[in-house]
Amino acid sequence: MLEVLTVSIFNQERKVRIYLPEDYYSSHKRYPVLYMHDGQNAFGAEEAIGGVSLDLHKHLDQFKSDLIVAAIDQNTEGEERINEYCPWKHGDFSELLLGYKSGSGGKGSDYADFIVNELKPLIDRKYRTMSGENYMAGISLGGLLSVYAGCKYPDVFKRIAGMSSAFYRNQEEIEKLAGSTP
């Protein structure tokens, strides 16, 4: 089952696509929540960038997963995805790898704060969640942001998946943060 919420972040309305387990409305159970980025690519090809989706709901339904997924749509304006998913401005390693100096990045901390301080409380109020069982996953820059959020909020996120993570954008800083986090 999929529902859509609309939230405001960085003065922009965004969709948050909510996956609910098959038995959500017929049970009284509470569920852990997986927060994901690039929400328009999580569940269906209709709105997916490039027309390719993870079709995550099919996998979750097939295995009868007891999990709520909150997938936040990305900002598609210019370089805003890069800005929002990178906690720091791009460093020297990024410049070396890309071959140019980029001023992108730097809003990722605010984005992670939004998830923890605004979105998570909303999801916990609206749905039957296990408020202490939160996970985060992302691909590419979403992987970078997920690892960052796991380091910044280890008391909030119990499991993190950073797939094909684009650490190179913030290589120096994410290494320092990960090295200083339990």
Side-chain angles (χ1 to χ4, degrees), residues 115-131:
I115 293 170
V116 170
N117 298 315
E118 295 182 43
L119 183 59
K120 180 186 174 325
L122 172 67
I123 299 296
D124 288 343
R125 280 192 308 273
K126 186 165 176 55
Y127 300 101
R128 290 188 320 276
T129 67
M130 300 167 85
S131 63

Side-chain angles (χ1 to χ4, degrees), residues 90-102 168-169 171-172:
H90 295 168
D92 293 339
F93 184 77
S94 177
E95 182 180 344
L96 179 66
L97 189 65
L98 296 173
Y100 62 91
K101 185 152 184 75
S102 170
Y168 71 91
R169 294 275 186 175
Q171 188 74 36
E172 300 89 347

Side-chain angles (χ1 to χ4, degrees), residues 59 61 86 148 162:
H59 174 80
D61 285 347
C86 292
Y148 171 80

Side-chain angles (χ1 to χ4, degrees), residues 19 34 36 42-44 53-61 69:
Y19 167 85
L34 169 64
M36 294 187 71
F43 300 113
S53 160
L54 294 174
D55 283 331
L56 185 58
H57 59 296
K58 292 177 182 177
H59 174 80
L60 296 171
D61 285 347
V69 177

Side-chain angles (χ1 to χ4, degrees), residues 25-89:
Y25 288 110
S26 63
S27 79
H28 298 286
K29 294 190 286 190
R30 295 195 166 278
Y31 302 88
V33 180
L34 169 64
Y35 293 89
M36 294 187 71
H37 319 291
D38 299 312
Q40 71 288 338
N41 296 342
F43 300 113
E46 305 80 37
E47 294 181 66
I49 294 172
V52 178
S53 160
L54 294 174
D55 283 331
L56 185 58
H57 59 296
K58 292 177 182 177
H59 174 80
L60 296 171
D61 285 347
Q62 178 183 353
F63 292 98
K64 301 193 183 321
S65 296
D66 283 342
L67 180 69
I68 293 172
V69 177
I72 308 149
D73 278 15
Q74 75 179 46
N75 186 339
T76 58
E77 295 176 12
E79 290 198 345
E80 283 308 300
R81 180 178 182 270
I82 295 170
N83 291 328
E84 292 179 11
Y85 290 1
C86 292
W88 304 276
K89 295 280 185 187

